[in-house]
Amino acid sequence: MAQIGARFAETVYGQDGIGLALADFLRVRPDPDTRDLDEMATRFLTRHPDVRSIVFAPDLVVSQVYPENIYRNLVSIDYTAFPERMTAIDRAIAERGPIFDHQPLNLNSEPAYIIRYPVFVPDDATGAERV
């Protein structure tokens, strides 16, 4: 189990990890269009077949999932409606970085190891950061 966690963490946090790639991408394009996210997610999932999905949840509401054909039922889920998930999400936001969150079942009722990786971008309307 520890080896799986270590390999997964390297995939996400490492030099080529999705977290860094997504953070860099969103800093340049705080409100990316669907095509941009599709291209980035497809490239990452192709390079890292051990990662099964990527979920984008700006303002804690799922807006896009990859691969979409498998996880489309997750779109529009509001994480704040799931207190058991918010504990880890709140911790990641407070630490301003990724955390490893083991959930016995993900929102698709599958066993899951989840990396909660908040990305902070400026809100043009208020000037404050949003997740």
Side-chain angles (χ1 to χ4, degrees):
M1 192 65 73
Q3 289 177 329
I4 292 170
R7 194 175 85 217
F8 189 62
E10 177 57 30
T11 297
V12 174
Y13 306 138
Q15 185 174 9
D16 192 32
I18 185 64
L20 293 175
L22 178 59
D24 289 344
F25 179 82
L26 291 175
R27 282 187 192 99
V28 174
R29 295 183 191 107
D31 293 306
D33 64 26
T34 302
R35 189 180 63 202
D36 289 336
L37 291 175
D38 286 345
E39 289 174 11
M40 188 192 75
T42 299
R43 278 193 314 270
F44 186 84
L45 291 173
T46 300
R47 284 194 320 263
H48 301 285
D50 50 333
V51 175
R52 293 181 45 195
S53 66
I54 299 172
V55 176
F56 295 100
D59 302 315
L60 302 178
V61 176
V62 176
S63 64
Q64 291 177 276
V65 294
Y66 300 92
E68 195 268 338
N69 62 326
I70 297 171
Y71 297 102
R72 76 174 55 98
N73 61 318
L74 301 180
V75 172
S76 78
I77 285 179
D78 183 343
Y79 279 118
T80 62
F82 296 90
E84 70 277 10
R85 303 258 188 301
M86 284 306 299
T87 301
I89 293 168
D90 287 340
R91 194 174 106 224
I93 291 169
E95 293 180 15
R96 298 187 64 83
I99 59 135
F100 189 72
D101 180 23
H102 169 69
Q103 293 289 327
L105 297 176
N106 65 15
L107 293 174
N108 224 21
S109 298
E110 301 168 326
Y113 292 99
I114 300 170
I115 300 296
R116 306 284 183 193
Y117 200 120
V119 176
F120 298 88
V121 295
D123 184 325
D124 291 335
T126 66
E129 288 184 319
R130 63 184 175 99
V131 178

